[in-house]
């Protein structure tokens, strides 16, 4: 059970990602409770209602697929232990931790790991118990089925199995199948009844108990039912018309279905388990002049950590000495190692490919990138998509409706069926109705697809915050890309040096960079950086003067340097080369005019380079049928030049940071469903305003907080992948819901016998139970197909 104090809410609830450490309001906390004993969506609905009504609870959400409850509560009024008692009173149980670890690590011995260990142990014990019960039921049911139905295969077997005491033999073997192997159905049904509710256990318990008790009466007091000699199975000397094998086979098949379902559902959570398993177990740190290997939970912020070739990086930090190439594919999905030098950031759980280095820990425990990813994925998998609301509403009334249909079926066949076997037919059809109905398929349809889809995204550096974001993303019709840091790299570089006669290119750049050393303007910093990268020796400027809105002036090595726009040149009676400047501007570059000692000396052009893959990403988005627009504060000419290079037609230029959200609103007023992609603090309002906010992982925490989808790598191609994944996931959800609805809509009437007038036969309760057992498995299996979703890579 994880607790957290939540962030204040922003644009909408789904836009805020609660953290697992104290961050704001101490009056509200969140607890995540792994649940035990939950077997169908009706169980989830009942637990959710019980928790929602509990004192001090502000909101509760129970996810049937993940078997977890997420509860927002006031710690002054209730506690995790009290929440567990609420769950137990509802007939189930929950796992909680006694105390959190000192640093809240997810997999280093902290609370998260103790919960994970406790949950895994409980699930494994539950699975082992279920397996033992199924195998025991199978061993006992096979002889019952052979004895009861062997006579239908050949007359020889019929004579062989027609022995005195046959019904007692079937009773002896069926009793432990029902009341030991299948006792969870009866205890679950009783628990639901005590709370004036009904669930899948109710259907199975009533159906099998009806067949069993009917058979017991036939065995010991057949005269009570006036059973004729033409009963089921032709038992001869044995009392006729017993259905022990029906009850036993139903229990066995449903136990088999639950076992298969448990295995399949375990695979839906494989992505998050793989993420949690990435973290290193120990770290090699320097303390008091010694090199020590310590458990991960003993690493503290500020520790100097040593990493050798082939080792996992334990926590997040900044390199202080050495260099290497780091394989970040487990978090970003990109296969190529990333070069790391002094000052570069390294991420915990990534793999050091070559070289050794020392780095300073900056984030440990629950503050690491990996912890944040795991937390976001858990929250996403525990969320509910709007599509699920209808399924939840139906699941809440499903079982009572089925009970009514079963009673109506029994009465109809008993009153209007053939007189010679109307009781038998009434019994068989009502039992078939009870056991074929499957609320589980409805309950699993949405959450399993969300689990697999969000897990697949996380494995490839796409973090989707929840079901609502998934559903909104698949409806998108337009997408707005912020230029700086999204389409472009976000830091300007010198692209052209155009000297006039009498000047060399490098000499011009050296003098200009020397003058710009006194400037804090991004364009000036780009010029200085370019000169330093070329190894040019820069002199210190003197008499530096910034001319607001025009440029700068400085003295470098006794020469007067003037850098600025054409207007500044003309004011100083200098004739600039404006034709060349216009050609540079058409390519999206920013030209700066240079004068030395009062004479025009040339031009230096600076631009923010387009990211590798931006053009491909725009093409992918357009292929998905989206209208792509670029938003920037640049002038129209520069913006159009950048847009042309990447294939964007709609340009929103000269937009102030405060007006970005307004531009998104304008598109929404046109009837478009809009996504906004950005990475800066000034993008946060627009990200929140958009129907779907997508933040580049290279951006600020504020932008990531406001977004619905986060791309860890910061590659624009991930935007198209995230939208394609959302569409595939929603399509999968709809397939699951369609199957679940159709299965029940068709299955229940067939079980009730609507085809009898046309076929002359009824659906066997045994086949009904097999269909029910496999229906949930098929839904989960369909969701698992999302694990093969293809992520488009750069070419």
């Amino acid at each position: 059970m994880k607790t957290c104090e939540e962030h204040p809410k922003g644009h909408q609830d789904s836009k805020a990602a609660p953290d697992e450490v104290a961050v704001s309001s101490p009056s509200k906390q969140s607890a995540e409770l792994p649940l035990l004993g939950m077997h169908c969506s009706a169980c989830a609905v009942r637990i959710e209602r019980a928790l929602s009504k509990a004192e001090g609870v502000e909101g509760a959400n129970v996810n049937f697929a993940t078997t977890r409850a997420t509860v927002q509560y006031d710690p002054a009024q209730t506690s995790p232990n009290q929440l567990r008692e609420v769950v137990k009173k509802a007939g189930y149980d929950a796992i909680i931790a006694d105390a959190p670890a000192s640093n809240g690590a997810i997999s280093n011995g902290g609370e998260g790991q103790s919960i994970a260990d406790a949950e895994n142990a409980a699930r494994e014990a539950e699975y082992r118990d279920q397996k033992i019960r199924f195998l025991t039921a199978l061993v006992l049911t096979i002889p019952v089925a052979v004895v009861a139905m062997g006579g239908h295969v050949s007359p020889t077997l019929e004579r062989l199995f027609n022995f005195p005491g046959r019904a007692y033999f079937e009773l002896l073997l069926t009793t432990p199948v029902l009341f030991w192997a299948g006792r969870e159905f009866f205890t679950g049904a009783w628990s639901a009844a005590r709370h004036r509710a009904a669930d899948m256990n109710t259907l199975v318990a009533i159906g099998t108990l009806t067949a069993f008790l009917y058979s017991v009466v036939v065995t010991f007091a057949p005269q009570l039912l006036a059973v004729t000699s033409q009963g089921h199975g032709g038992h001869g000397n044995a009392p006729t018309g017993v259905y022990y094998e029906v009850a036993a086979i139903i229990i066995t098949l449903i136990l088999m279905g639950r076992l298969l379902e448990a295995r399949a559902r375990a695979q839906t959570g494989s992505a998050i388990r793989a993420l949690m398993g990435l973290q290193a177990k120990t770290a090699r740190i320097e303390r008091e002049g010694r090199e020590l290997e310590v458990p991960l939970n003993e690493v503290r912020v500020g520790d100097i950590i040593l990493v050798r070739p082939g080792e996992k990086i334990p926590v997040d930090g900044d390199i202080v000495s050495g260099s290497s190439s780091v394989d970040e594919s487990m978090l970003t999905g990109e296969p190529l190692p990333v070069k790391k030098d002094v000052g570069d950031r390294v991420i915990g759980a990534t793999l050091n490919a070559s070289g050794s280095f020392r780095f300073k820990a900056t984030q440990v425990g629950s503050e690491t990138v990996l912890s944040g990813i795991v937390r976001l994925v858990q929250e996403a998998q525990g969320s509910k998509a709007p599509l699920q609301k209808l399924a939840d509403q139906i699941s809440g009334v499903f079982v009572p409706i089925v009970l009514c249909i079963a009673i109506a079926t029994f009465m109809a066949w008993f009153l209007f069926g053939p007189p010679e076997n109307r009781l038998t037919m009434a019994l068989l059809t009502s039992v078939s109705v009870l056991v074929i109905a499957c609320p589980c398929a409805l309950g699993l349809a949405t959450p399993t697809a969300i689990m697999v889809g969000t897990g697949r995204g996380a494995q490839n550096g796409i973090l989707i915050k929840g079901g609502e974001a998934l559903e909104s993303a698949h409806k998108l019709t337009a997408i707005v890309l912020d230029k700086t840091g999204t389409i472009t790299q976000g830091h300007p570089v010198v692209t052209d040096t155009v000297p006039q006669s009498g000047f060399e290119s490098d000499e011009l750049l050296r003098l200009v960079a020397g003058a710009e050393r006194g400037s804090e303007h991004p364009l000036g910093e780009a010029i200085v950086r370019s000169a330093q990268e070329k190894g040019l020796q820069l002199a210190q400027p003197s008499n530096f003067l910034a001319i607001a809105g025009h440029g700068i002036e400085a003295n470098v090595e006794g020469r007067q340097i003037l850098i600025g726009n054409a207007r500044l040149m003309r004011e100083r009676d200098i004739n600039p080369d404006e034709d060349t400047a216009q050609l540079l501007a058409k390519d999206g570059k920013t030209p700066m005019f240079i004068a030395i000692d009062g004479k025009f000396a040339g031009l230096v052009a600076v631009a923010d380079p387009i990211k590798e893959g931006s053009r491909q990403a725009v093409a992918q988005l357009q292929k998905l049928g989206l209208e792509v627009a670029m938003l920037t504060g640049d002038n129209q000419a520069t913006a159009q030049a950048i847009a042309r290079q990447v294939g964007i037609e709609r340009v929103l230029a000269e937009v102030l940071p405060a007006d970005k959200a307004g531009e998104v609103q304008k598109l929404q007023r046109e009837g478009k469903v809009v996504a906004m992609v950005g990475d800066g603090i000034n993008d946060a309002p627009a990200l929140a305003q958009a129907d779907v906010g997508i933040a580049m992982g290279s951006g600020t925490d504020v932008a990531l907080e406001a977004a619905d989808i986060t791309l860890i790598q910061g590659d624009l191609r991930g935007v198209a992948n995230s939208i394609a994944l959302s569409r595939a996931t929603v399509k999968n959800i709809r397939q699951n819901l369609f199957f679940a609805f159709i299965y029940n809509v068709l299955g229940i009437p067939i079980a009730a016998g609507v085809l009898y007038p046309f076929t002359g036969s009824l659906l066997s309760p045994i086949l009904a139970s097999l269909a029910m057992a496999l229906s949930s498995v098929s839904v989960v299996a369909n969701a698992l197909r999302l694990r093969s979703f293809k992520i488009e890579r750069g070419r």
Side-chain angles (χ1 to χ4, degrees), residues 33 65 76 113-114 142 173 196 260 309 352 434 451 557 561 661 679:
L33 304 169
Q113 181 64 13
S114 64
I142 288 174
L173 295 183
R196 287 181 250 176
L260 293 174
N352 181 29
L434 290 170
M451 281 184 70
E557 297 178 346
I561 311 297
D679 73 334

Side-chain angles (χ1 to χ4, degrees), residues 699-717:
T700 64
D701 290 340
V702 176
L704 301 183
E705 177 70 20
D708 299 295
I709 299 173
T710 300
L711 308 177
I712 297 175
Q713 191 189 7
D715 187 335
L716 192 58
R717 286 171 292 205

Side-chain angles (χ1 to χ4, degrees), residues 739-784:
F739 171 80
F741 279 118
I742 290 298
Y743 166 81
N744 285 290
V745 167
L746 297 180
I748 292 174
I750 291 172
V754 295
L755 297 181
Y756 182 80
F758 309 101
T759 64
S761 61
L762 297 174
L763 179 68
S764 165
I766 294 171
L767 293 178
S769 63
L770 179 62
M772 191 275 281
L774 295 179
S775 61
S776 296
V777 179
S778 61
V779 166
V780 177
N782 187 52
L784 288 173

Side-chain angles (χ1 to χ4, degrees), residues 546-614:
I547 306 169
H550 295 292
I552 66 160
E553 188 175 10
N555 190 285
V556 178
E557 297 178 346
R559 308 186 75 172
Q560 194 66 22
I561 311 297
L562 183 68
I563 306 170
N565 55 26
R567 181 178 175 184
L568 177 63
M569 296 292 133
R570 287 192 294 268
E571 287 178 354
R572 300 294 180 93
D573 295 324
I574 298 169
N575 293 321
D577 182 1
E578 295 190 57
D579 292 337
T580 302
Q582 287 178 0
L583 291 174
L584 292 169
K586 284 182 180 179
D587 290 334
K589 301 170 184 176
T590 302
M592 290 179 285
F593 299 95
I594 315 299
I596 298 177
D597 294 333
K599 294 182 179 180
F600 181 66
L603 288 144
V604 173
V606 177
D608 185 0
I610 292 172
K611 283 183 179 179
E612 181 185 356
S614 289

Side-chain angles (χ1 to χ4, degrees), residues 481-641:
L481 307 177
D482 181 63
K483 187 206 80 173
T484 305
T486 302
I487 294 174
T488 64
Q489 294 179 6
H491 52 83
V493 297
V494 174
T495 58
D496 299 86
T497 304
V498 186
Q500 291 286 56
S501 59
F503 292 94
E504 293 291 333
S505 177
D506 283 355
E507 179 65 10
L508 179 65
L509 180 62
R510 188 183 72 82
L511 292 173
V512 172
E516 290 284 9
R517 291 185 75 176
S519 172
E520 294 182 354
H521 194 281
L523 299 184
E525 291 176 351
I527 293 171
V528 173
R529 187 167 56 250
S530 178
Q532 290 173 337
E533 289 172 355
K534 286 190 171 187
L536 303 179
Q537 296 297 319
L538 306 185
Q540 285 290 343
S542 59
N543 301 323
F544 179 86
L545 176 65
I547 306 169
H550 295 292
I552 66 160
E553 188 175 10
N555 190 285
V556 178
E557 297 178 346
R559 308 186 75 172
Q560 194 66 22
I561 311 297
L562 183 68
I563 306 170
N565 55 26
R567 181 178 175 184
L568 177 63
M569 296 292 133
R570 287 192 294 268
E571 287 178 354
R572 300 294 180 93
D573 295 324
I574 298 169
N575 293 321
D577 182 1
E578 295 190 57
D579 292 337
T580 302
Q582 287 178 0
L583 291 174
L584 292 169
K586 284 182 180 179
D587 290 334
K589 301 170 184 176
T590 302
M592 290 179 285
F593 299 95
I594 315 299
I596 298 177
D597 294 333
K599 294 182 179 180
F600 181 66
L603 288 144
V604 173
V606 177
D608 185 0
I610 292 172
K611 283 183 179 179
E612 181 185 356
S614 289
R615 185 175 183 85
Q616 179 188 346
V618 171
Q620 288 175 347
L621 291 168
Q622 292 169 338
K623 189 176 179 181
L624 290 171
L626 299 173
E627 178 185 352
V628 183
M630 186 183 78
L631 185 149
T632 179
D634 289 346
N635 62 64
Q636 191 71 33
T638 301
Q640 288 288 355

Side-chain angles (χ1 to χ4, degrees), residues 186-506:
F186 299 98
T187 57
W190 173 246
S191 176
R194 286 175 50 221
H195 294 87
R196 287 181 250 176
D199 57 19
M200 178 185 156
N201 291 319
T202 307
L203 300 179
V204 176
I206 292 176
T208 54
L209 194 60
T210 299
F212 181 79
L213 292 178
Y214 173 88
S215 301
V216 169
V217 173
V218 170
T219 301
F220 293 101
Q223 66 279 6
L224 295 178
L225 298 174
V227 178
T228 71
S229 60
Q230 302 301 315
H232 169 70
H235 289 180
N237 294 333
T240 59
V242 294
Y243 294 97
Y244 292 118
E245 82 284 1
V246 170
I249 292 174
I250 287 173
I251 291 293
T252 303
L253 288 176
I254 296 175
L255 286 174
M256 178 193 72
R258 286 191 175 180
L259 203 63
L260 293 174
E261 182 186 321
R263 287 188 63 180
R265 284 167 63 181
Q267 294 179 55
T268 64
S270 60
I272 198 166
R273 286 195 300 274
L275 286 171
M276 295 180 74
L278 290 176
Q279 203 164 37
K281 306 302 180 187
T282 61
R284 191 178 292 105
I285 65 173
E286 291 181 355
R287 280 186 186 164
E288 300 176 357
R290 292 188 303 154
E291 186 179 310
L292 305 172
E293 186 167 339
V294 300
L296 203 60
N297 61 342
E298 294 183 15
V299 177
R300 298 291 178 262
V301 172
D303 279 343
I304 301 298
I305 301 172
L306 287 78
V307 182
R308 295 171 180 164
E311 292 183 341
K312 282 186 177 180
I313 297 170
V315 295
D316 300 356
D318 298 320
I319 295 178
V320 295
S321 68
S323 63
S324 184
S325 293
V326 177
D327 180 359
E328 297 181 341
S329 60
M330 63 282 293
L331 296 181
T332 66
E334 286 300 314
L336 297 178
V338 181
K339 181 69 176 174
K340 299 288 184 179
D341 292 303
V342 173
D344 288 339
R345 186 188 186 200
V346 290
I347 300 172
T350 55
L351 185 66
N352 181 29
S354 62
S356 299
F357 60 88
R358 298 161 65 246
F359 75 96
K360 183 178 182 179
T362 55
Q363 281 92 29
V364 301
S366 63
E367 299 301 313
T368 63
V369 168
L370 179 64
S371 296
I373 291 171
V374 170
R375 187 164 53 246
L376 279 173
V377 176
Q378 286 176 330
E379 289 164 2
Q381 293 183 345
S383 68
K384 286 186 179 181
L387 274 173
Q388 192 175 346
K389 292 177 181 177
L390 177 61
D392 283 349
Q393 291 170 354
I394 293 173
S395 296
V397 297
F398 183 86
V399 174
I401 290 174
V402 171
L403 287 172
C404 293
I405 293 173
I407 293 170
T409 299
F410 183 91
M411 295 303 297
W413 280 102
F414 189 76
L415 294 175
F416 305 110
E420 65 276 10
N421 55 2
R422 61 184 180 182
L423 178 59
T424 300
M425 297 180 78
L427 175 72
L428 291 177
T429 52
S430 59
V431 170
S432 293
V433 167
L434 290 170
V435 297
I436 202 171
C438 188
C440 297
L442 283 171
L444 288 169
T446 300
T448 49
I450 290 176
M451 281 184 70
V452 181
T454 54
R456 177 64 177 155
Q459 288 176 320
N460 291 276
I462 301 169
L463 302 182
I464 302 171
K465 284 191 177 177
E468 187 169 348
L470 270 172
E471 193 164 336
S472 297
H474 103 281
K475 299 176 182 175
L476 292 174
T477 58
I479 187 163
V480 178
L481 307 177
D482 181 63
K483 187 206 80 173
T484 305
T486 302
I487 294 174
T488 64
Q489 294 179 6
H491 52 83
V493 297
V494 174
T495 58
D496 299 86
T497 304
V498 186
Q500 291 286 56
S501 59
F503 292 94
E504 293 291 333
S505 177
D506 283 355

